[in-house]
């Protein structure tokens, strides 16, 4: 199968559209897949191609402050650029789905979302506000962004890095996108979590604790959690195959 990779701008958002060549003008299931911190859309192309091989239209956006949208240095305020980038992802999700819906290119409203690291946090956040998402996969993200924010702030203070006293107010929007505070928003949707036990950037335990807490609940009956023993903050090719198969099984 020949895969088409098209660079385009959608409402000024730079994206790569990855789709089977013979089907690019036809309605297909749509997956928006988000890259990680200090990465770019191009670095998720391998995953996108594996998804497209299943007959899915995949959209890879550049997050704000990344890739083609990188405009300057990272703020010295701990994680403020990070959370700003996630907030833009959350804001722009509906713009992207609206565009393809208006073009008549989403088959039967089959919409999926996924991402790695920062993109995984984006994915979990979107699940709290968008019931139209049918399937999701969070790779090395966290469904507990408030806990992660507290951890980052704690580490910054321990290292004597300046943190504005009003930072919690500036980032108060995160509370509304914290899946761990509203796990019922899973609503029986197929959701895949993958995390390495030795992840040095986003704690494995945040995801493990969340899953243990919700796994017996009816709303989580289609939630899966894959523990990768001794794996760090890295996604291997075989894991990308698992992600592609997961979307193929539940979205198509």
């Amino acid at each position: 199968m020949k895969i088409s990779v098209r660079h385009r701008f959608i409402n000024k958002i730079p994206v790569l559209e990855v789709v089977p060549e013979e089907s690019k003008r036809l309605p297909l299931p749509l997956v928006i897949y988000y890259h990680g911190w200090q990465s770019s859309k191009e670095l998720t192309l391998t995953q996108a191609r594996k998804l497209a091989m299943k007959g899915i239209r995949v959209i890879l956006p550049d997050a704000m402050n990344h890739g083609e949208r990188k405009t300057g240095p990272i703020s010295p305020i701990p994680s403020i650029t990070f959370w700003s980038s996630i907030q833009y992802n959350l804001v722009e999700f509906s713009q992207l789905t609206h565009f393809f819906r208006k073009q008549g290119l989403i088959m039967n409203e089959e919409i999926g979302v996924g991402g790695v690291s920062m993109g995984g946090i984006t994915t979990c956040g979107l699940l709290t506000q968008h019931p139209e998402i049918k399937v999701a996969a969070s790779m090395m993200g966290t469904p507990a962004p408030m806990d992660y924010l507290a951890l980052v702030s704690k580490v910054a203070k321990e290292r004597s890095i300046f943190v504005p006293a009003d930072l919690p107010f500036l980032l108060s929007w995160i509370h509304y996108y914290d899946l761990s505070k509203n796990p019922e928003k899973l609503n029986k949707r197929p959701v895949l979590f993958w995390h390495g036990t030795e992840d040095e950037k986003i704690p494995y335990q945040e995801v493990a604790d969340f899953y243990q807490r919700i796994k017996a609940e009816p709303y989580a009956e289609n939630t899966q959690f894959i523990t990768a023993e001794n794996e760090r903050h890295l996604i291997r090719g075989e894991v990308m195959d698992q992600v592609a198969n997961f979307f193929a099984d539940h979205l198509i």
Side-chain angles (χ1 to χ4, degrees):
M1 180 188 293
K2 184 177 180 182
I3 301 299
S4 167
V5 179
R6 177 186 178 189
H7 177 277
R8 62 191 305 184
F9 287 89
I10 298 175
N11 294 323
K12 299 185 179 180
I13 305 167
V15 307
L16 295 177
E17 180 181 357
V18 187
V19 63
E21 177 70 35
E22 68 272 17
S23 305
K24 62 184 181 182
R25 294 182 178 85
L26 301 177
L28 294 172
L30 176 72
V31 169
I32 300 176
Y33 202 85
Y34 294 93
H35 65 73
W37 171 242
Q38 292 189 285
S39 183
S40 69
K41 60 188 181 303
E42 287 78 12
L43 293 180
T44 50
L45 262 173
T46 299
Q47 180 69 82
R49 286 191 173 99
K50 289 177 182 290
L51 287 164
M53 290 289 289
K54 302 293 186 181
I56 295 170
R57 184 185 313 278
V58 187
I59 303 303
L60 306 176
D62 263 334
M64 188 61 76
N65 310 305
H66 294 74
E68 294 180 65
R69 306 174 90 179
K70 189 172 180 64
T71 57
I74 296 167
S75 170
I77 303 300
S79 80
I80 194 70
T81 306
F82 176 82
W83 293 111
S84 173
S85 302
I86 291 174
Q87 188 176 40
Y88 268 95
N89 282 345
L90 297 171
V91 168
E92 293 170 348
F93 173 78
S94 294
Q95 290 182 291
L96 295 173
T97 57
H98 173 74
F99 175 85
F100 287 97
R101 187 180 292 111
K102 190 175 180 181
Q103 300 296 315
L105 292 174
I106 305 178
M107 178 183 287
N108 300 325
E109 278 298 295
E110 296 294 340
I111 297 171
V113 65
V116 294
S117 190
M118 182 180 78
I121 297 175
T122 296
T123 297
C124 293
L126 287 168
L127 285 170
T128 67
Q129 305 295 329
H130 292 276
E132 72 272 22
I133 294 171
K134 302 292 179 63
V135 184
S138 171
M139 321 306 291
M140 308 184 302
T142 175
M146 293 294 290
D147 290 347
Y148 185 60
L149 172 61
L151 175 64
V152 171
S153 297
K154 177 176 178 288
V155 171
K157 290 176 182 177
E158 289 172 351
R159 296 177 179 175
S160 298
I161 299 172
F162 175 73
V163 178
D166 59 346
L167 185 62
F169 295 104
L170 294 168
L171 297 177
S172 59
W173 61 267
I174 296 173
H175 169 79
Y176 300 99
Y177 291 86
D178 191 314
L179 185 60
S180 72
K181 307 295 186 190
N182 301 279
E184 70 281 358
K185 295 292 184 73
L186 289 166
N187 196 27
K188 301 184 179 183
R189 290 178 287 185
V191 178
L192 174 66
F193 293 94
W194 183 96
H195 218 107
T197 58
E198 302 304 312
D199 192 314
E200 71 280 15
K201 295 186 178 179
I202 298 180
Y204 163 82
Q205 207 58 48
E206 288 186 4
V207 189
D209 289 347
F210 171 75
Y211 181 70
Q212 289 301 314
R213 178 163 59 89
I214 60 100
K215 67 179 183 179
E217 298 292 341
Y219 57 73
E221 65 182 32
N222 294 312
T223 300
Q224 298 180 34
F225 176 42
I226 298 175
T227 290
E229 295 291 343
N230 302 315
E231 291 288 341
R232 300 181 69 188
H233 200 72
L234 176 70
I235 297 290
R236 301 183 189 277
E238 57 268 28
V239 179
M240 296 182 194
D241 289 331
Q242 288 179 291
V243 172
N245 290 334
F246 183 79
F247 278 103
D249 289 344
H250 297 288
L251 194 63
I252 297 175

